[in-house]
Structures are given as C-alpha cells and as structure tokens.
Amino acid sequence: SRCGASLSPGTLCLAAALNGLLSFGFLAAAIGTDYWYLIHVDGAERNGSSARDGEELSSHSGLWRLCEGKEGWGSLACSLPAGSAVPCHLLDMHRAFMILLPLSLILIIFGWICGIVGSLAQISWLLLFTGCYFLLGALLTLSGTSTYICYSKAAFIETVRMFDQQRFDRVHITFGWSLALAWLSFGTEGLAGILLLLAAQGFRLKLDAHSADI
C-alpha cells in the first residue's frame, strides 16, 4: 500500500509495538474491571418505592463477578435466579468467553516478544508469522467479546422468561466501558498485525534490493 511504502519497516515495527502495548493494556483493564454489563432500575415512586431503592436494585458485572447494589458482590456464574436450571448453551457460552479473552491476553504477550525479536533482527519471515499471530489473537478477542454479548442477552431473556414481564418494565440494560476497552483491544491488536505484515514486506523488499545491487 502507499502508506506502507512511505514508511520505513523500522517505523512500522515501532508502531506495531505501540499498538501491541495498547492492546494488552486495554484488554487487561477490560478483564480486570466490572463494567461490562449494566442493569439500571428506575426508581418507582408509583409503587411507593424511592429512587434510592432503584439504585439499590441496579447492578453491574464483569467477567468474573456481579455487583448488586453498591456493596453486594457475587459470582457471575450465579447471576441467574437461584434454583433455576441453567440451559446448557448458556453454560457453554460462559465457558467460551472465560477461556477466549484471557487466552487472547496471553497471546498478546508472546506476540509482542516475537515482534520485538523480529524487528531487531530484521527477520521478515518472523515478522510475517507474528503479524498473522496478532491477527489470530484479534480474532480470539473478537470471538470472546461477541460471545459475551450473546451470553448476556440470552441470560437476560432466560431471566425474563422465568418471571413476570412486568417486573422488568423499569429495567434498562446497557453495556459498559469495560466492553468498550475490549473492542479497542481488538482494534489495536488487529492493527498491530497489519503493521507487522507491512514491515515484513518492507524488510523483504529491502533485502531483495540489496541482493540485486550485489
């Protein structure tokens, strides 16, 4: 591409390294925080309850745990009503994103190391491998994040099915900034992979030109 041709392979490798660091930071922050899924319950003065009661019923959750109200923490796996039979597909989706997202975080670390070695040694095949490696990691991040979204929606539908629909008239569901960080990690991880592929092409062309001069 014109952009890749106008930048030196070293500059592309540096940009890829920075994007790799950003991707790791975004995903680590996303996994470690508890604002993936937000449930807000409006205060219902009509039913004699106050807005404070609505705040106490509101909750937010991360990958690992659920916060109900302001101080009540519990396991995310127990977010469905106690005693309910959790459908197998929900359990499968829960296991999937609990594996995919931490695995993607680990892959970023090894990919970043390979990218640094490849750029310092100017090994085009190693940079090509690392670029594909980063793109695979981005695909895992995308898969894990998408699975979490599907799981959250399916779990809410299952909860509504178990109870009266009127109980959820004042309930508003949104996804929080932790999920946005995961999406940013996906974007920067994929960009790092593309930059490494361009750098590999640049080093290969540079080597071919040097061989032709000889």
Side-chain angles (χ1 to χ4, degrees):
S1 63
R2 292 183 179 179
C3 181
S6 63
L7 296 176
S8 67
T11 302
L12 292 171
C13 287
L14 178 59
L18 292 176
N19 276 277
L21 285 177
L22 286 175
S23 179
F24 177 84
F26 286 143
L27 189 56
I31 292 176
T33 52
D34 301 300
Y35 290 88
W36 285 69
Y37 191 66
L38 311 178
I39 300 177
H40 177 71
V41 181
D42 292 336
E45 291 79 1
R46 294 175 301 175
N47 298 329
S49 59
S50 63
R52 182 180 180 83
D53 294 330
E55 293 178 1
E56 294 298 330
L57 293 173
S58 299
S59 65
H60 57 87
S61 64
L63 295 183
W64 316 102
R65 59 183 184 174
L66 170 70
C67 175
E68 297 177 334
K70 295 182 178 179
E71 298 180 357
W73 293 96
S75 171
L76 180 62
C78 300
S79 58
L80 287 174
S84 61
V86 181
C88 292
H89 71 280
L90 286 180
L91 293 177
D92 291 339
M93 285 191 289
H94 183 267
R95 295 190 191 100
F97 68 74
M98 291 290 284
I99 294 174
L100 289 175
L101 291 173
L103 177 60
S104 181
L105 188 65
I106 296 173
L107 290 180
I108 293 174
I109 298 174
F110 288 102
W112 195 83
I113 294 173
C114 290
I116 291 296
V117 173
S119 61
L120 291 177
Q122 298 186 7
I123 305 175
S124 60
W125 68 263
L126 182 56
L127 290 175
L128 180 63
F129 167 79
T130 308
C132 296
Y133 184 91
F134 264 105
L135 292 177
L136 174 61
L139 181 60
L140 288 179
T141 303
L142 175 63
S143 299
T145 304
S146 300
T147 302
Y148 179 86
I149 293 174
C150 294
Y151 167 83
S152 301
K153 292 181 178 180
F156 182 74
I157 292 174
E158 182 67 20
T159 303
V160 173
R161 186 186 65 82
M162 293 177 182
F163 295 100
D164 186 1
Q165 174 66 43
Q166 293 182 353
R167 291 192 178 190
F168 298 90
D169 289 342
R170 298 182 292 111
V171 176
H172 303 283
I173 304 297
T174 58
F175 292 100
W177 53 266
S178 295
L179 180 63
L181 290 178
W183 282 114
L184 286 174
S185 176
F186 159 70
T188 51
E189 191 174 3
L191 181 57
I194 294 172
L195 290 172
L196 286 174
L197 294 179
L198 293 174
Q201 182 184 19
F203 279 125
R204 190 183 67 224
L205 293 175
K206 184 178 179 181
L207 180 61
D208 292 341
H210 179 71
S211 300
D213 292 338
I214 296 176

